[in-house]
Amino acid sequence: MSTALIVTIVIAVILVALIVALIIVGKKAEKRQAEQQVQLDAMKQTVAMLIIDKKRMKLNESGLPQSVIEQTPKLLRRSKLPILKVRVGNRVMSLICDEKIYESVPVKKEVKATVSGIYVTEVKGLHGKTVVTEKKKGFFKGLLAKAQEKAGAKMVK
């Protein structure tokens, strides 16, 4: 057998092993996520709150309780999380927001939110109209949109 054929076979075997390992790890992570979602649904409460501010910040800068910071994995402590500073009743607190709803959360508005522990999973407007924030375009998409606007053409998706 030639050397190139042996190397190709070894690389193929390694790739197949990696794919199988990723499938197994993915299924375990999916099961864990389903269990966590059941726990979140069991603990959820609807609360009226005033959203003071929202930011993406590191966990240790967020103002969350020290016990929460100690329980999180070390890798997650360095990543930036969506944090909401809210007033519930007469108490100001920091809560972690779900990544899916972070962009639609209105600032300086009173809302009804579904909260599970310190995790905000859903937000509905309470007073006034909710303002839908437009997503920021990337640098090149913004340039392309300006150029097409000047030329009189419509934006192609």
Side-chain angles (χ1 to χ4, degrees):
M1 292 185 124
S2 70
T3 314
L5 183 62
I6 294 172
V7 169
T8 306
I9 291 172
V10 168
I11 291 174
V13 168
I14 291 172
L15 286 176
V16 168
L18 281 174
I19 289 172
V20 169
L22 284 175
I23 289 171
I24 292 170
V25 169
K27 286 183 180 179
K28 285 183 181 178
E30 193 174 304
K31 287 179 186 176
R32 211 176 309 129
Q33 183 182 16
E35 291 172 3
Q36 289 174 351
Q37 189 64 39
V38 168
Q39 287 178 342
L40 280 176
D41 290 342
M43 298 292 293
K44 69 181 180 182
Q45 299 174 349
T46 303
V47 178
M49 62 176 65
L50 173 70
I51 299 179
I52 299 169
D53 192 20
K54 68 177 187 176
K55 288 183 184 175
R56 291 189 184 276
M57 51 181 43
K58 292 183 181 177
L59 198 61
N60 55 1
E61 301 169 355
S62 64
L64 292 170
Q66 191 62 33
S67 61
V68 172
I69 295 171
E70 290 171 358
Q71 290 176 356
T72 56
K74 293 206 182 228
L75 290 176
L76 188 61
R77 291 181 199 173
R78 294 184 191 148
S79 64
K80 290 190 175 185
L81 294 174
I83 304 291
L84 299 177
K85 188 169 237 176
V86 299
R87 191 180 96 207
V88 180
N90 60 355
R91 193 169 171 203
V92 176
M93 58 179 66
S94 296
L95 301 174
I96 300 173
C97 183
D98 191 5
E99 197 71 47
K100 297 172 191 168
I101 64 163
Y102 179 71
E103 294 299 324
S104 65
V105 174
V107 180
K108 304 214 171 147
K109 298 267 183 185
E110 192 170 343
V111 295
K112 249 190 187 162
T114 305
V115 180
S116 179
I118 60 165
Y119 195 70
V120 179
T121 57
E122 187 179 352
V123 173
K124 295 177 188 167
L126 191 62
H127 296 291
K129 295 181 181 178
T130 56
V131 179
V132 178
T133 56
E134 191 174 308
K135 261 193 163 181
K136 269 187 153 179
K137 294 181 182 177
F139 178 72
F140 290 110
K141 284 188 179 180
L143 285 177
L144 181 65
K146 284 181 186 177
Q148 287 180 342
E149 185 179 321
K150 285 183 181 178
K154 289 184 178 179
M155 181 72 176
V156 179
K157 289 185 179 178

